[in-house]
Amino acid sequence: MRDFTSARKKMVASQLEARGIRDHRVLTAMAEVPRHLFVDESLRDEAYDDNPLPIGEGQTISQPYMVAIMTELLQLLGPEIILEIGTGSGYQAAVLSKLCRWVYTVERIKSLSERAQEITKAGGYENITFIVGDGTEGWPEAAPYDGIIVTAGAPRIPDTFVSQLRLGGKLVIPVGDRFSQTLQRVIKTEQGTTIENHTGCRFVDLIGRWGWVVS
C-alpha cells in the first residue's frame, strides 16, 4: 500500500512550495487533508500526482496546485464564511473547512454532492453545508460571503456572485472560453470591483443560468 502521508508531504514540497505557494495555513491544510479518499479507490495511487483526476459525471478533482493557489488567493484568516460553487469531490471544501469558520458548497449533480457529503462527514469535517442546485445563482440565503470560490470555468463573471460578496470580499473564478481560462481574483470595493489576472488554467464548464447554458 502506498504511503499516503509521505505522498502528501512530497506533493506540498514539490508541487506547491516549489511553485510559490507561501501561505503557511494553506500548506498545512493541504498536507493534512487526505486527497486519496476523495477519488475512486482505483485512482488512489495517483491521488497526489500533479494533475486533475476524473470523479465521474464528466467532472474532475482539481490539480493540487490549482486547489492551493485558489485557496491562497482568498487570504483566509479563520473567521470567514465562504461559498464554493462546484462541490465536485468535496476535496476543495474540506481544505477550505480547515481555514475558515463555515463553507457553503453548491453542486448541480446530486450524486456528487451526496458522495462528497458522505466522505467529509466520515472525515469529521463538520463546518460544511451542502446544497444541490444551480451554482451560478450562488446561495443568497447565507450571503454576504467573505469569499466565493468557483471551481468551473465561466464565460464571464456572474453578477450574482459579486452581489453576494461583502464589501472587501474576494471572488476567485476561472474566466474564458470552454478550452482555456484565466484564473481571476475579483475584489468588491465601494467603487465596484477590482480584477486581477493570475494564472492560465482549464476547468470543466460552469453550467447554469449565468454560466454556460446546456440546450
Side-chain angles (χ1 to χ4, degrees):
M1 180 179 292
R2 186 170 178 181
D3 183 348
F4 291 119
T5 300
S6 295
R8 271 198 306 281
K9 290 180 179 178
K10 182 179 179 181
M11 174 195 76
V12 169
S14 64
Q15 298 178 38
L16 310 186
E17 290 181 298
R19 288 180 181 158
I21 301 298
R22 294 288 176 263
D23 188 319
H24 176 72
R25 297 181 72 242
V26 173
L27 293 170
T28 298
M30 296 286 289
E32 291 176 349
V33 178
R35 189 172 187 259
H36 63 280
L37 297 182
F38 292 85
V39 301
D40 189 87
E41 193 168 351
S42 65
L43 296 173
R44 287 185 176 176
D45 282 346
E46 303 173 49
Y48 299 100
D49 292 353
D50 185 21
N51 50 259
L53 292 170
I55 58 171
E57 304 291 346
Q59 306 300 300
T60 60
I61 181 173
S62 295
Q63 171 194 28
Y65 172 71
M66 195 55 59
V67 173
I69 189 172
M70 292 180 79
T71 305
E72 185 173 65
L73 287 171
L74 289 173
Q75 297 178 308
L76 300 174
L77 298 176
E80 296 88 357
I81 305 297
I82 300 299
L83 173 65
E84 179 194 27
I85 306 301
T87 308
S89 68
Y91 176 67
Q92 175 74 79
V95 171
L96 290 168
S97 76
K98 286 184 163 288
L99 301 169
C100 67
R101 183 154 60 96
W102 205 271
V103 180
Y104 291 86
T105 181
V106 185
E107 172 57 55
R108 68 184 180 87
I109 302 172
K110 185 179 180 181
S111 60
L112 292 182
S113 180
E114 290 176 343
R115 181 174 182 273
Q117 191 166 356
E118 289 175 3
I119 295 170
T120 54
K121 183 178 180 180
Y125 305 93
E126 299 180 350
N127 57 333
I128 306 173
T129 297
F130 292 85
I131 301 119
V132 176
D134 181 352
T136 69
E137 300 280 7
W139 186 245
E141 286 83 344
Y145 300 98
D146 299 291
I148 299 176
I149 187 168
V150 183
T151 61
R156 66 192 67 83
I157 298 168
D159 291 338
T160 49
F161 297 158
V162 177
S163 69
Q164 290 175 34
L165 278 177
R166 69 164 179 81
L167 195 62
K170 301 173 183 70
L171 164 66
V172 179
I173 180 171
V175 179
D177 58 32
R178 285 180 136 155
F179 303 100
S180 66
Q181 303 94 36
T182 299
L183 188 63
Q184 296 185 335
R185 177 166 65 180
V186 182
I187 302 174
K188 188 171 183 177
T189 69
E190 292 181 351
Q191 292 73 36
T193 59
T194 61
I195 300 175
E196 305 166 355
N197 291 328
H198 286 270
T199 186
C201 53
R202 183 174 184 179
F203 279 80
V204 298
D205 293 345
L206 177 67
I207 301 295
R209 182 180 179 188
W210 306 110
W212 296 102
V213 179
V214 177
S215 58

